[in-house]
Amino acid sequence: MKATARAHTNIALIKYWGKRNESLILPANSNLSVTLDGFSTETTVHFQEGLKKDSFHLNEQNVEGDALGKVAIFLDKVRALSGKEIYAQVQSVNHVPTAAGFASSASGLAALAAASSKAIGLSLNDTELSKLARQGSGSASRSIFGGFVEWQMGKREDGSDSFAVQIADKSHWDIRIAAVVLSKTEKKVSSREGMRRTVETSPFYAGWLEQTAKDLQEIKQAIKVKDFEKMGSVAEANCMRMHATTLGANPPFTYWQDTTMRVMQTVQTLREQGIPAFFTIDAGPNVKVLYLPENEAKVKKRLQATEGVEDIIISKPGSGISYR
Ligand code: DP6
């Protein structure tokens, strides 16, 4: 009753921002991401008779408290599905090139879903796995697949039609995604709390929802025909609108720091100089920059010269779940 799985993290080009059902994790809008080959989590789950509770080691350190709680709540769902009352030892390693606050719930929960369901003897297909991972963390539903991935929000209230599908695999389009590591990051509002507060209190939320469905259709077409400027500009605008909703929340908040804005300006300057580069930002201060491989040297140089930038980690579109 032991299995090991690896999942890569993903960056949303059309954001998931807001839930219509908190307990099943059903999103208020369909969304789309690209899986990144530079960041992954490898997790081993070992169910054993005689254990009195679950345990969790992350990067070889024993973890208790909220992080263990999240793992145990997720394993409760897996136990319920299998009908087996048995606890597990969970060991995870985050493969992130530098320690820079890039640990991701998407790769973590996707790897946990794959390893735990296999270890307990459920044989789930990728669609079922995506639905299971979704219940751990919404963005994890997308990390089951590689390349370009859409999480279809679904219509049903039981969540049975809310799962991710692959739009194009990683070999479809050779783009690059630079994750910009900032030299200092402050404590943030979690994405879970941030989206809840925004949905409940921000008058801008309705405008976000209205536009995001259009953005999704446009970006899917741009990916299909490999129109980089179109894809990048839609992704950047969608990111800006998501972040605008947080300023309207009560109390208002932003994920941006000074360096976040400096990196955004660098990307705009690159474009003014004729280099197609676009940014996107999740629920934190880090910026991801999209560009084409032929522009790598120039993009890297400009980003590295930006004040407050510590490092740059470059990814290509990555693969979905794998087992060892
Ligand atoms: C801004 O998937 O971390 O990164 O479902 O509450 O676990 P929970 O949230 P999470 O939210 C991700 C939000 C985002 C946008 C995105 O990845 O689509």
Side-chain angles (χ1 to χ4, degrees):
M1 296 192 82
K2 186 174 177 180
T4 300
R6 176 183 284 235
H8 289 87
T9 190
N10 67 74
I11 177 74
L13 303 180
I14 302 299
K15 305 296 181 190
Y16 146 50
W17 194 240
K19 296 177 178 65
R20 66 177 201 275
N21 178 317
E22 294 250 344
S23 55
L24 288 172
I25 311 200
L26 300 179
N29 65 287
S30 295
N31 49 82
L32 183 144
S33 62
V34 55
T35 304
L36 305 181
D37 75 348
F39 304 87
S40 64
T41 303
E42 188 171 272
T43 295
T44 300
V45 178
H46 190 182
F47 288 98
Q48 282 163 277
E49 298 290 351
L51 292 178
K52 293 199 170 58
K53 64 188 214 44
D54 298 314
S55 65
F56 178 36
H57 281 72
L58 177 61
N59 299 333
E60 299 185 347
Q61 302 274 324
N62 185 40
V63 179
E64 305 267 345
D66 287 355
L68 171 62
K70 203 172 171 185
V71 168
I73 288 170
F74 186 80
L75 291 178
D76 285 343
K77 295 183 205 295
V78 175
R79 282 185 277 265
L81 271 178
S82 71
K84 292 180 190 153
E85 251 324 298
I86 183 166
Y87 293 101
Q89 283 178 333
V90 177
Q91 282 178 319
S92 282
V93 177
N94 279 330
H95 295 272
V96 179
T98 56
F102 278 106
S104 146
S105 65
S107 56
L109 269 296
L112 181 63
S116 62
S117 59
K118 189 172 179 213
I120 213 163
L122 293 164
S123 35
L124 304 182
N125 63 33
D126 283 351
T127 301
E128 291 164 331
L129 204 50
S130 176
K131 283 190 245 179
L132 177 63
R134 186 201 79 220
Q135 295 173 62
S137 185
S139 54
S141 67
R142 300 184 305 234
S143 276
I144 302 303
F145 300 95
F148 297 83
V149 182
E150 179 186 353
W151 174 11
Q152 301 179 336
M153 63 184 285
K155 288 195 173 73
R156 297 187 206 129
E157 277 322 297
D158 64 357
S160 57
D161 59 353
S162 186
F163 51 82
V165 294
Q166 188 181 61
I167 297 301
D169 75 12
K170 63 177 183 173
S171 63
H172 169 70
W173 200 3
D174 190 22
I175 64 165
R176 294 288 185 277
I177 307 97
V180 182
V181 182
L182 310 187
S183 49
K184 60 172 172 58
T185 56
E186 288 148 23
K187 193 175 154 42
K188 62 170 191 174
V189 181
S190 71
S191 44
R192 198 159 285 192
E193 160 59 18
M195 67 175 86
R196 181 185 297 138
R197 194 191 301 173
T198 303
V199 171
E200 284 169 5
T201 65
S202 178
F204 306 158
Y205 189 70
W208 148 262
L209 267 190
E210 197 184 307
Q211 183 62 34
T212 201
K214 295 177 199 152
D215 290 348
L216 181 65
Q217 292 319 315
E218 280 193 42
I219 212 161
K220 281 169 74 174
Q221 180 60 17
I223 292 168
K224 194 172 162 200
V225 302
K226 302 187 208 177
D227 181 341
F228 188 76
E229 303 245 355
K230 184 77 187 173
M231 180 192 71
S233 56
V234 172
E236 192 175 294
N238 184 268
C239 156
M240 291 296 257
R241 255 182 257 108
M242 174 207 128
H243 286 269
T245 65
T246 70
L247 298 179
N250 185 16
F253 65 104
T254 182
Y255 289 107
W256 298 355
Q257 291 177 195
D258 51 359
T259 312
T260 311
M261 293 194 69
R262 274 197 290 272
V263 175
M264 290 159 73
Q265 277 158 6
T266 297
V267 172
Q268 279 155 2
T269 308
L270 278 163
R271 280 211 294 277
E272 280 158 23
Q273 295 168 345
I275 297 159
F278 299 89
F279 62 77
T280 187
I281 305 161
D282 275 346
N286 295 311
V287 184
K288 306 258 181 359
V289 180
L290 304 159
Y291 60 92
L292 291 167
E294 62 259 33
N295 294 319
E296 180 139 312
K298 286 177 190 147
V299 171
K300 250 181 114 170
K301 195 171 153 216
R302 294 301 296 239
L303 289 173
Q304 269 159 349
T306 304
E307 191 192 330
V309 171
E310 179 120 319
D311 198 7
I312 290 152
I313 302 163
I314 293 168
S315 286
K316 298 177 189 176
S319 31
I321 282 287
S322 60
Y323 297 91
R324 194 152 59 89

